[in-house]
Amino acid sequence: MDDYMDHSSGEDSDGNDSEVEEYADKTYEELTGGKHSVKLSDVTFTCPFCTNKKKRDYQYQDLLQHATMVGKSDSKKRSVKEKASHLALVKYLEKDVMENTGPSQAKDNVDVDHLAEHDGDEMFVWPWKGIVVNLPIELKDGRYVGKSGSNLRDTLTTRGFNPTRVIPLWNFRGHSGSALVEFKKDWVGFNNAMSFEKAYDADHHGIRDWKVNKDDLKDEIYGWVARSDDYNATNVIGEHLRKIADLRTISDIMAEEDRKVDSLESNLKNINEVKKKQLEEMENQYVETEHSLKERIAEKDVLVQKYNEELKKIESGAREHIQKIFSDHLKTKQQLEDEKRKLELQGQELQKREANNEIEQKKLAEEIAQNAVRNSLLEKASDEQQKADESVMNLAEDQKREKEELHKKIIMLEKQLDSKHAVELEIEKLKGQLNVMKHIGEDDMETLKKVDEIQKNLREREEELDDLESLNQTLVVQERKSNDELQEARKELIEGLKELPKTAHIGVKRMGELENKPFIDAMKRKYDESEAEDRASELCSLWEEFLRDPNWHPFKVITVNGKSQRVIDENEEKLKGLKRNYGGEVYKAVATALTEINDYNPSGAYVTTELWNFNEGRRSTLKEGVMSLLEMWEMHKRRRNM
């Protein structure tokens, strides 16, 4: 506010800061000593230094605003004494009256519900707008110029009005000396706007004072909240308000908020119902999955139990069979030994009868020869029996080893049962065949041969499946390798084409980059040449931040010819306001950048480079880029030869 009220380039003719401070301290002592009366009642106060004013009754906050505005004013119309006395009043109100009034009373004076003070059918400019007039301007080079709105915004913020922006208004002669003060669109913004109006009205610088003093203006600012009269006015204020705002009643705004709340509650209720149904479905799926898992576990337990029983039967049969072989072997061995002893006895008897006669000797020789042959045969039989013993032992070892291998194979098949349903069926089939073979044939070796044949077929099918999976993995790796090579070639081509002139029909385009020319053209229609470029740069930077914001999704899904498509939502609040305030070209630039980001980099939301066919407005193929690069090389070579 101080910068806006400084009209002169020299110092205040009435005094300096030391004089103001000295007189303020003296006046404060007079106030604390009771020389001046400030408090009229528990809720009303008066300014003892403005006795000639019509308004004498103030609430606490209004009087504090009035004293602050006068005390900090740099207007040459205000004397040192007047400013110092009001600064002393500010100190007295904040230090002495606040403590004596108490925190609850002070809070009631500060936090006022301005909404209750107005009729619901009263027409306000929406969103809430404040109007300030009689801003300091000066004539320079044939045009009126004034300061930007940021200083006034900061001053109003320090006073607790919290405006979002201050917009100076310009006409064909330059700065009009008026500005619009924008507040937030909620009820907090409404209270700030009404506090802003009451503060100026309390200092006799409201709209009524403006209308009375319009023909005899002083170098002081007047302010109020925009209503229907301001909206329908034919001056620069009315024209600007009709472009950027509407007229709404408080009842309409409250009704609209109620509708939004109802709609939100309805949407939340629907979402809750959907989530509830999804939860029920998930619970049902969980119950079904748990039941299925229990059944599978039970089936597996049954299979394991059957396997253990079958294994026990096989082991028992193998033990009985081996025991029988050993028993038969012992019997045969004992018979051979008995026969050998008999032959030895007969040989001894024949040797005793050798001397009897020659005939008997010949017979004895023949019998000895026969006995020798029989002994040789018996020795061979004994050797064969020994080999049979060894064969039986090897057979027992082989049977034990095959039993262990069979046990391992069945365990491996059980593991495959958990991962592959097809292998599970094969295992069931194998076990069924094992059971059938066990009941059909009693020969254990034949049964094991059948089992080996079945397992061989199973391994062949598994090897075929592994071969197919290996081939598929090889193809996937080759495809990824080829795709990576193409992507690398495309990146290298993009780097090579970056040096192409802008007139080439094949080149590199930055997808998602926001074009700034429409913003500059739009700002030139609102501001002068010197300020338009800065305004355009600020607005363009703001929308670039919106484009990079991952939480902003201005899209909707529509159905075209039975297919769902994701398109930009033109009724989204930000885009709608952009189109209304700055025109279709600016909106088109933002929409184009949004579409490019959504198509080419939706996850990263940042600018990417792409090989582009500018003649046809599409993504260029790798072949087109190579041909364009070759054409550029041929042209460069011809120029060099010339």
Side-chain angles (χ1 to χ4, degrees), residues 496-513:
L497 291 177
K498 282 184 178 180
E499 301 300 326
L500 275 176
K502 297 299 182 181
T503 56
H505 74 284
I506 301 297
V508 177
K509 182 179 180 182
R510 290 173 59 84
M511 311 305 293
E513 187 175 53

Side-chain angles (χ1 to χ4, degrees), residues 11-245:
E11 298 180 351
D12 194 325
S13 59
D14 290 333
N16 51 38
D17 293 340
S18 61
E19 292 177 335
V20 173
E21 184 177 356
E22 181 180 355
Y23 193 82
D25 292 339
K26 181 179 178 182
T27 307
Y28 175 71
E29 293 177 358
E30 293 177 354
L31 287 169
T32 54
K35 183 176 180 180
H36 302 287
S37 177
V38 176
K39 190 172 183 180
L40 300 179
S41 66
D42 292 338
V43 295
T44 58
F45 301 84
T46 185
C47 177
F49 310 113
C50 296
T51 56
N52 58 336
K53 299 292 185 180
K54 295 180 180 179
K55 182 176 179 63
R56 295 184 55 82
D57 295 342
Y58 294 90
Q59 290 188 350
Y60 175 85
Q61 183 66 17
D62 294 336
L63 181 58
L64 183 61
Q65 292 282 0
H66 161 74
T68 303
M69 182 179 294
V70 176
K72 293 184 178 181
S73 174
D74 285 341
S75 173
K76 60 184 179 180
K77 299 293 185 179
R78 301 285 187 182
S79 64
V80 173
K81 180 178 178 181
E82 187 177 4
K83 289 187 286 187
S85 60
H86 281 81
L87 287 175
L89 180 58
V90 171
K91 182 177 179 181
Y92 177 72
L93 289 172
E94 292 179 343
K95 186 174 181 181
D96 298 283
V97 176
M98 173 68 78
E99 295 178 355
N100 295 331
T101 303
S104 61
Q105 181 64 40
K107 185 178 184 302
D108 293 337
N109 289 332
V110 175
D111 297 335
V112 180
D113 184 7
H114 295 289
L115 186 62
E117 300 176 0
H118 295 275
D119 186 3
D121 295 329
E122 186 176 359
M123 302 291 286
F124 284 88
V125 174
W126 170 258
W128 318 115
K129 297 286 188 295
I131 299 173
V132 288
V133 297
N134 203 33
L135 293 172
I137 58 177
E138 60 180 348
L139 188 63
K140 180 182 290 186
D141 297 332
R143 285 176 59 86
Y144 287 101
V145 295
K147 296 183 179 179
S148 64
S150 59
N151 290 331
L152 181 56
R153 181 197 62 196
D154 295 340
T155 300
L156 294 175
T157 300
T158 58
R159 295 181 60 189
F161 303 137
N162 300 319
T164 59
R165 188 171 56 160
V166 174
I167 307 173
L169 301 180
W170 296 69
N171 54 25
F172 66 95
R173 292 179 297 180
H175 199 299
S176 65
S178 304
L180 295 181
V181 182
E182 292 186 352
F183 297 92
K184 293 182 180 179
K185 296 174 66 175
D186 52 17
W187 295 115
V188 175
F190 176 78
N191 279 337
N192 288 330
M194 298 313 300
S195 297
F196 158 82
E197 181 179 74
K198 282 197 171 186
Y200 276 95
D201 188 59
D203 196 39
H204 308 290
H205 288 80
I207 186 171
R208 290 187 297 272
D209 302 287
W210 164 252
K211 291 179 179 180
V212 172
N213 301 325
K214 185 181 297 186
D215 297 331
D216 185 20
L217 293 178
K218 299 179 180 179
D219 53 350
E220 295 180 348
I221 301 174
Y222 293 80
W224 61 89
V225 174
R227 293 179 173 80
S228 58
D229 292 342
D230 306 298
Y231 185 86
N232 296 320
T234 57
N235 53 22
V236 65
I237 295 175
E239 293 176 359
H240 197 78
L241 286 175
R242 288 191 291 273
K243 289 180 181 178
I244 65 173

Side-chain angles (χ1 to χ4, degrees), residues 512-520 540 544 585-586 589-590 592-593:
E513 187 175 53
L514 192 59
E515 186 180 2
N516 60 356
K517 186 177 181 301
F519 291 85
I520 296 176
C540 190
E544 284 179 347
E585 291 299 320
V586 175
V590 174
T592 301

Side-chain angles (χ1 to χ4, degrees), residues 573-585:
E573 183 178 358
K574 291 181 181 178
L575 293 176
K576 189 175 181 181
L578 177 69
K579 189 173 184 180
R580 181 180 66 247
N581 295 333
Y582 301 101
E585 291 299 320

